[in-house]
Amino acid sequence: MSGIHPFRVLRAKPLWIANGVITGVLALLFTVFYVGANVDPVDHMKNLPVGLVNADKGAAVGDKQVNLGARLTESIKKSTASGGKIDWKVMDEKEMKEEMGKGKLYGALVVPADFTSATTALTGAATTGVPTRPTLTVLTNQSAGSVGSSLARTATTQAAQSASLQVGKELTSQGGTGQAKLPVAARVLLADPAAVTVEDGHPLDSHSGLGLTAFYYALVLVVCGMLSANVISGQVDHALGYTHNDMGPLRLHRPLIRATRVQTLAVSSTLMAGLSLLMGSLVMVGAVGLMGMHAAHLPLLWLFSVCAIAVSGIGALTLLAVFGTPGMLVVTLVFIGMAVPTANATTPIQALPGFYRFLAEFEPLRQITGGIRSILYYDAQADAGLTRGWAMMAVGLAAAALFGFGMTNWYDRKGLHRIPAETKPEKTAAPA
């Protein structure tokens, strides 16, 4: 017994400085990652993919064949008003539906087949008496992300309205004195001929969380792997006798079983792989069975879930084995701090600052979200994110194994063994 009251440690400056630096840096980093990624997505938006479809068949006006839909789409395509924020993908309706059904488009603008005939018919409203506006259709795609779909809807609606005014200006300038005979309502419509309607381009089941169930399901998988790694690492150390295990007021300590760092990581990783079968099953049972989440391809969803937890967990175990106690902070930053803002779920990658786009290329949550999204929303199509998800998980597992076992093997060869000081043989004094 030292006789020193425990509260006296609060007088130690190193205790305050060390913990202040760690917690302060953690608070700052989380603020930068979360707030910085989402503070102004419209300003950071660049090349958001949106489909542009001209289904207009044109019509004969006088002695000329006119296609106002082609003029309108060309005007939008060449417009500099978006400042590069929208990447207009000119395609036909079939291709647009296929791309939207893979999550590769956040929305689309469709010019109908009768656009020219319906627009030019406005000039004949004097005889028909009932002017009817042609309709431009803005399609949204919540399955690709609700924020991205909303950004695409806003930009596409504005582009459609601007293009309608441009077409109206052309028609008005070409109409001559004949337009004076038109009813006032027809002349007003001719100046802005197209109506704009908004529809869901890739409808989802009502139990799909407005396109967010894939993200939250993937987040659960990553968190399960990350937290389980912390639990497993501690329990393996306790089982080997390297640490105590406090259970309420009780402290348990097992006899020491000497193990190298490589052996310890191998034991922990094996335990993680085995328990991933249980965790992946329970996650799916909880989400689909208990909470009623809409899901298809259940065997594939189960397999992907198990592998995602295993890879995330082994990756976290690697960081814990290499960095020791600070490893949990590193794990939290890698798997949560940097991962959530770059997951391409709440905010599309195209609306993130450049640094976050770089992180999104390898952050695990983005890859897992893409795979889950493909399974849940896109009929498990390989090029809808599933192939990338499998490939990046394989790369992540290989990287974790090389880094983890490489570093722990180096520690072992350097004699940096995990043997508590009290188990080392005491030095005896040399005889006089």
Side-chain angles (χ1 to χ4, degrees), residues 194-213:
V196 179
T197 62
V198 179
E199 298 178 6
D200 191 347
H202 186 72
L204 295 175
D205 186 271
S206 60
H207 289 178
S208 295
L210 300 177
L212 286 174
T213 50

Side-chain angles (χ1 to χ4, degrees), residues 37 39 122:
V39 69
L122 294 176

